[in-house]
Amino acid sequence: PILFKRILTIILLKLFLIYIYYNKSYNVCQQRLIFFVNLIIIKNCYNKNMKYLDIKLDAKSHQTVMKMTVKNMPKGMVINHGLIKDNLEKRRPNHKFNTNRVELDQYEFISGVTNNITNGEELIISVTNTNINSNHYEYGLIRPGHADYVGYEFLEDYDYNGGGQFSGRITVLYTILASIIQPYLPEEVLVKLSQIGNVVDTPIYELNDEELKTIDNELYFYGQQSLNEARSLIDQYYHQGDSIGALAEVRITNPTGGLGGIDFNNFEGNLAQALFAIGGIKGINFGIANNFITTPGSVSCDELFVNQGKVNSKHHYQGGVNGGITNGYEPITFNCIIKAPCSVFKPINTIKKTNHGYENTTLTLKGRHDSFIANRVLMVIKAMTYIVLFDEHLAKSQINVLL
C-alpha cells in the first residue's frame, strides 16, 4: 500500500507539472511550486540524505573495519587509485605536530564496482584500521570541547574510544569517495591556509589560480616569512602541550551556474551542512566574509559588466553565489574557521559520568593527538566540497529530466 501510494503521488504530481508547463502562463509563484514538486518527486524516488546521493556511515574511530554506503551513484565512473592514494596522503598525519597514529588507509570496494568501474549499484567502501589503541580512553570521562557529553546523553551506541563516530578518523571515507568524483567535475577546488593563530598569510583573493597551485609546504602558506612565523608558533604550542587553530580559504574555479536553489535548497546551506560534518569546523563565510560588515553597499554590491558577451563582476566579492544559486560568472569562494584541537597535554577541569550523574574531576590527557590539525582538515574540506558539487550536478540534471 505504501509503495502504491508513492507511485500514485508521483504520477499525479507529474500530470500537474505537465498541465502547468503546457499552459505557458505560469508566474513566479507557480515556478517555485514546480521546483518544489520536482523535489518531492525526487524524494519519493530516492531515500537519501543529500539532494541525490544517499550516504550512510558505519564507522567509529577504533572500529576494525569502517564502511560507507553510497546509493544512487552513477555507473561508468573509472576508479583512479593513484588519485585516491595522493589525496589520502595529504590527509594522513606526517609532521611532528600531528598525531602519531598513522594508519595505512587500506580500502576496498565491497560492492558497486566491477572491473574498476562503478556499476550503478550500491557503492560500499570499507577501510581497515590497524593502529588502534584504546587503553588511553576511560569510560565516562568527558573531554571538554569534544562530543563526549552529547554522545553519552543523546546517542544509544556512543563509543567513547577515540571519539567514536564523532572522530575525524572517519573522514578517510569521504576522502576516498571524493577522489572517485573529482575527475568527473568541471570545477576544481583550490585550498590554502591564510591564518594560523595570529600569523596571517597572503589571502586567497590576492593569488591567481596558478599561484595557488604552486603552494607546496606542510602549512599551505604562500609567503615564506609568514610560513616561518607560523612554524615557530605551532612549535611553541607543541612544546607547551597546547594547540592552535587556523583559517582555511577555498576557491572553486570554473563554476557551473544554476547549482543550488531558493529557500532551504540553497547552495551555501547545502555546502555548509556537509562541511559542518567535519568536527573541527566552527564557522563558514562566503565571498569577502566578515568584510561585508565594514564594506559599504556601493562597493560590496560589486559592479557587473559584459565583456565579449560574457557577464562578470569587477571584484568577485559575492563569492559566486546570489540568492542561494551559483551565478557561474565568478569563482565560488568561502572560508572555514578550524578550531584548535581540544585534546591538549595540560591538566583541564572537566566532569565524569557516574551512576549518580556527573562529578567534577581533572583530565590529564594521554594518547596520540594533533596539536595542529588544520593542514589535514584542508584535504577533508576539499573532499566535502567535491561531494556536494557532484550531488548538486546530479540533482540539477535529475530535475531537468523530470521537467
Side-chain angles (χ1 to χ4, degrees):
I2 294 175
L3 180 60
F4 174 77
K5 289 179 181 178
R6 177 169 290 185
I7 294 173
L8 182 61
T9 300
I10 293 171
I11 293 173
L12 291 174
L13 289 172
K14 192 59 185 178
L15 289 173
F16 169 76
L17 288 180
I18 293 172
Y19 169 77
I20 292 292
Y21 180 77
Y22 284 104
N23 192 30
K24 299 296 184 182
S25 61
Y26 48 87
N27 55 31
V28 174
C29 291
Q30 288 172 320
Q31 289 175 6
R32 286 193 174 196
L33 183 59
I34 289 172
F35 182 81
F36 281 113
V37 167
N38 273 286
L39 287 181
I40 292 171
I41 292 175
I42 294 174
K43 286 185 176 294
N44 274 278
C45 293
Y46 303 99
N47 178 23
K48 57 198 178 304
N49 54 9
M50 300 185 76
K51 284 186 177 180
Y52 189 90
L53 297 175
D54 180 34
I55 302 174
K56 294 292 191 298
L57 293 176
D58 176 13
K60 298 175 183 178
S61 178
H62 290 195
Q63 192 169 312
T64 303
V65 178
M66 306 185 299
K67 294 181 181 179
M68 169 186 280
T69 302
V70 186
K71 295 181 180 179
N72 309 326
M73 192 75 173
K75 65 180 180 180
M77 302 177 71
V78 179
I79 308 297
N80 186 336
H81 293 279
L83 181 60
I84 292 175
K85 291 178 181 179
D86 287 346
N87 288 339
L88 288 175
E89 181 62 31
K90 293 174 183 177
R91 183 202 160 277
R92 190 173 290 121
N94 50 18
H95 297 283
K96 71 175 184 179
F97 48 74
N98 292 141
T99 177
N100 56 12
R101 178 189 175 182
V102 180
E103 294 280 0
L104 298 177
D105 296 336
Q106 298 171 331
Y107 64 91
E108 180 184 358
F109 298 109
I110 298 176
S111 69
V113 175
T114 303
N115 296 326
N116 208 47
I117 301 174
T118 59
N119 57 27
E121 298 175 0
E122 187 175 78
L123 175 65
I124 301 179
I125 306 168
S126 72
V127 172
T128 302
N129 289 325
T130 58
N131 190 3
I132 299 172
N133 185 350
S134 301
N135 295 328
H136 297 132
Y137 295 90
E138 179 182 347
Y139 174 81
L141 188 61
I142 307 299
R143 298 169 299 162
H146 288 269
D148 292 328
Y149 178 79
V150 295
Y152 283 119
E153 289 294 309
F154 306 113
L155 295 185
E156 295 181 358
D157 61 341
Y158 178 56
D159 180 3
Y160 62 91
N161 292 302
Q165 49 269 68
F166 295 105
S167 172
R169 174 63 191 146
I170 67 175
T171 61
V172 65
L173 293 162
Y174 290 114
T175 304
I176 295 170
L177 176 60
S179 302
I180 300 172
I181 289 168
Q182 184 177 337
Y184 292 90
L185 286 170
E187 293 88 358
E188 183 177 10
V189 181
L190 304 176
V191 294
K192 75 179 298 290
L193 294 180
S194 291
Q195 185 172 346
I196 297 174
N198 58 3
V199 179
V200 178
D201 187 43
T202 310
I204 197 168
Y205 62 80
E206 292 185 10
L207 303 173
N208 60 40
D209 295 348
E210 295 307 314
E211 289 172 324
L212 280 173
K213 293 177 184 179
T214 63
I215 297 176
D216 186 24
N217 59 72
E218 78 281 10
L219 298 183
Y220 297 90
F221 264 31
Y222 183 76
Q224 187 61 49
Q225 181 177 344
S226 55
L227 174 62
N228 293 337
E229 292 175 2
R231 284 170 173 165
S232 298
L233 182 68
I234 293 172
D235 196 59
Q236 172 188 333
Y237 281 102
Y238 172 77
H239 288 291
Q240 292 174 354
D242 215 329
S243 62
I244 192 66
L247 180 71
E249 290 192 306
V250 183
R251 177 186 295 159
I252 303 174
T253 65
N254 193 33
T256 301
L259 301 181
I262 57 177
D263 302 324
F264 295 105
N265 191 39
N266 68 85
F267 179 83
E268 294 138 310
N270 293 331
L271 180 57
Q273 181 180 9
L275 291 170
F276 278 125
I278 306 170
I281 302 296
K282 298 301 288 185
I284 299 170
N285 290 292
F286 285 80
I288 58 174
N290 290 344
N291 289 326
F292 277 121
I293 301 169
T294 57
T295 305
S298 58
V299 179
S300 66
C301 69
D302 206 2
E303 296 174 340
L304 301 177
F305 63 92
V306 177
N307 183 20
Q308 296 181 346
K310 294 184 178 181
V311 174
N312 208 336
S313 60
K314 188 175 181 180
H315 300 291
H316 300 167
Y317 286 158
Q318 300 297 319
V321 185
N322 300 100
I325 301 173
T326 57
N327 57 43
Y329 59 74
E330 62 183 10
I332 302 167
T333 56
F334 61 93
N335 66 38
C336 297
I337 298 171
I338 305 171
K339 71 175 182 178
C342 294
S343 295
V344 296
F345 292 92
K346 287 184 172 184
I348 300 292
N349 293 327
T350 187
I351 57 176
K352 184 176 181 180
K353 181 179 176 64
T354 69
N355 293 332
H356 309 289
Y358 290 91
E359 62 182 24
N360 294 320
T361 187
T362 301
L363 171 65
T364 302
L365 190 70
K366 299 177 181 178
R368 303 168 295 181
H369 307 281
D370 298 88
S371 60
F372 183 75
I373 201 171
N375 62 319
R376 300 177 60 201
V377 174
L378 264 189
M379 184 60 238
V380 185
I381 292 173
K382 192 172 182 178
M384 285 296 200
T385 304
Y386 275 124
I387 292 170
V388 172
L389 284 169
F390 189 63
D391 185 68
E392 289 281 356
H393 275 283
L394 290 175
K396 181 183 178 184
S397 173
Q398 182 69 8
I399 289 174
N400 288 341
V401 169
L402 289 168
L403 281 173

